[in-house]
Amino acid sequence: MNSINSKNIYTDRLDLRIPTMKEQHRLWEILSNEEINKFYFPTPDRIFKKNNLSKDNISDLKKARKIFMEQLQDWPRQQPFYEKKIESINNQEDSQKFTWSIFLKDTDIVIGQMTCQPKDNNIKDIRDVGWFIDPNYQGKGYATEAALAILDFMFNEVEISDIFTGAAEINPSSWKIMEKLGFEFTGYKKSTYFKDDKILILKEYHGNKELFLNRTTVKFKNIRKHF
Ligand SMILES: CC(C)(COP(=O)(O)OP(=O)(O)OC[C@H]1O[C@@H](n2cnc3c(N)ncnc32)[C@H](O)[C@@H]1OP(=O)(O)O)[C@@H](O)C(=O)NCCC(=O)NCCS
């Protein structure tokens, strides 16, 4: 894996920019919407531990989620985390944390975020991907366009080896992107997400450069990228 820093990436319809503090409040507003975070942001382990709650029982899952939502929706509480993240990205010392703010091309309209973070802090070339798009801009192919461009960068320039990721089974708008990127389905896993009184299952995927190059069903002939 190469030790190179994040770059701005430009696709036909989007600018994927290195994040700045300027757009973080808007991104937080999008992310604090439960429709967006319910299958994006798992309830952290620390909430279960601190409150002595179990991940196996629906009423505890709901309690833990409620506590997490109160924290997540509190901007003064969240702001220092955002500032720290931006500072470490700007210092480039944390160049291994790849995150992009997604803007509509040539505008300052921020519509979402892409991340490609180490799966385990000690192994930097095995990563997870994450994405969210403002509900006002969903269903237009923007997440697919952004994901294709950042994975091209991650596999071909940074040269990471593998992606292991997953999405709730009932969240096809996310796992369909994984399939379009050429990732292979590896199995199901229980999650801490729930809908009504049911604990949800995740569909898990694996990707690498070979799968990305050979099985991607969306091609750069439609989605050009320029660094
Ligand atoms: C997942 C998400 C980023 C997709 O963003 P998007 O820009 O709408 O995605 P795209 O337009 O590129 O569409 C992706 C695929 O999902 C499909 N899709 C979109 N909405 C859908 C829906 N409600 N039901 C079924 N499929 C849907 C699209 O048709 C497309 O597949 P196709 O090419 O086979 O038609 C967006 O829905 C989101 O932000 N969700 C909340 C956060 C989240 O769940 N993140 C992922 C966590 S794993």
Side-chain angles (χ1 to χ4, degrees):
M1 176 178 156
N2 298 319
S3 182
I4 61 174
N5 295 322
S6 266
K7 279 183 186 173
N8 291 338
I9 299 175
Y10 306 99
T11 70
D12 275 358
R13 299 181 297 163
L14 303 170
D15 294 344
L16 310 177
R17 299 189 202 146
I18 297 170
T20 68
M21 205 52 210
K22 217 168 133 192
E23 73 277 8
Q24 296 307 307
H25 186 265
R26 177 64 198 138
L27 288 174
W28 165 80
E29 278 180 339
I30 299 169
L31 191 56
S32 49
N33 171 351
E34 285 188 54
E35 280 310 302
I36 288 290
N37 68 49
K38 67 182 176 189
F39 305 137
Y40 175 81
F41 224 151
T43 308
D45 284 350
R46 64 177 166 79
I47 305 246
F48 290 97
K49 278 193 199 122
K50 196 169 168 202
N51 299 283
N52 202 18
L53 295 168
S54 156
K55 291 183 180 175
D56 295 323
N57 137 1
I58 190 80
S59 101
D60 279 11
L61 283 176
K62 286 183 178 177
K63 276 186 205 151
R65 193 73 192 169
K66 190 163 178 284
I67 296 166
F68 180 46
M69 277 307 107
E70 281 162 10
Q71 297 180 355
L72 189 70
Q73 290 169 341
D74 179 353
W75 173 247
R77 185 188 172 113
Q78 295 298 317
Q79 190 173 5
F81 295 106
Y82 281 88
E83 284 168 348
K84 203 166 159 233
K85 180 180 87 176
I86 298 299
E87 194 189 327
S88 71
I89 292 171
N90 286 343
N91 288 341
Q92 304 283 10
E93 72 209 9
D94 217 352
S95 63
Q96 312 296 359
K97 279 198 174 176
F98 291 97
T99 302
W100 289 268
S101 299
I102 307 173
F103 290 84
L104 293 181
K105 194 163 196 65
D106 296 334
T107 75
D108 281 330
I109 302 169
V110 67
I111 63 160
Q113 181 177 278
M114 287 270 144
T115 59
C116 191
Q117 310 288 6
K119 190 87 186 157
D120 161 345
N121 277 336
N122 299 318
I123 309 170
K124 297 209 180 302
D125 68 343
I126 298 182
R127 295 190 167 241
D128 196 353
V129 275
W131 39 61
F132 69 83
I133 297 283
D134 180 336
N136 297 318
Y137 295 94
Q138 288 179 8
K140 298 176 190 299
Y142 287 143
T144 306
E145 181 166 333
L148 191 66
I150 71 139
L151 283 167
D152 178 67
F153 173 73
M154 294 306 298
F155 284 129
N156 291 316
E157 299 216 12
V158 186
E159 296 186 345
I160 58 164
S161 70
D162 297 90
I163 299 271
F164 288 95
T165 191
E169 193 184 13
I170 65 163
N171 191 14
S173 37
S174 187
W175 55 255
K176 273 189 179 178
I177 300 172
M178 296 165 194
E179 295 194 344
K180 285 192 286 181
L181 292 168
F183 293 2
E184 59 188 3
F185 170 68
T186 56
Y188 293 100
K189 189 183 160 192
K190 196 169 145 193
S191 78
T192 56
Y193 300 128
F194 55 87
K195 185 172 164 48
D196 305 323
D197 280 339
K198 231 179 133 208
I199 299 178
L200 299 178
I201 300 291
L202 290 184
K203 284 185 88 171
E204 296 205 291
Y205 287 84
H206 166 240
N208 59 26
K209 185 171 173 175
E210 209 191 324
L211 291 165
F212 179 66
L213 290 178
N214 297 329
R215 294 189 14 178
T216 311
T217 56
V218 201
K219 294 290 178 209
F220 279 117
K221 65 175 161 50
N222 301 323
I223 299 171
R224 278 178 295 122
K225 48 99 206 199
H226 322 268
F227 296 121

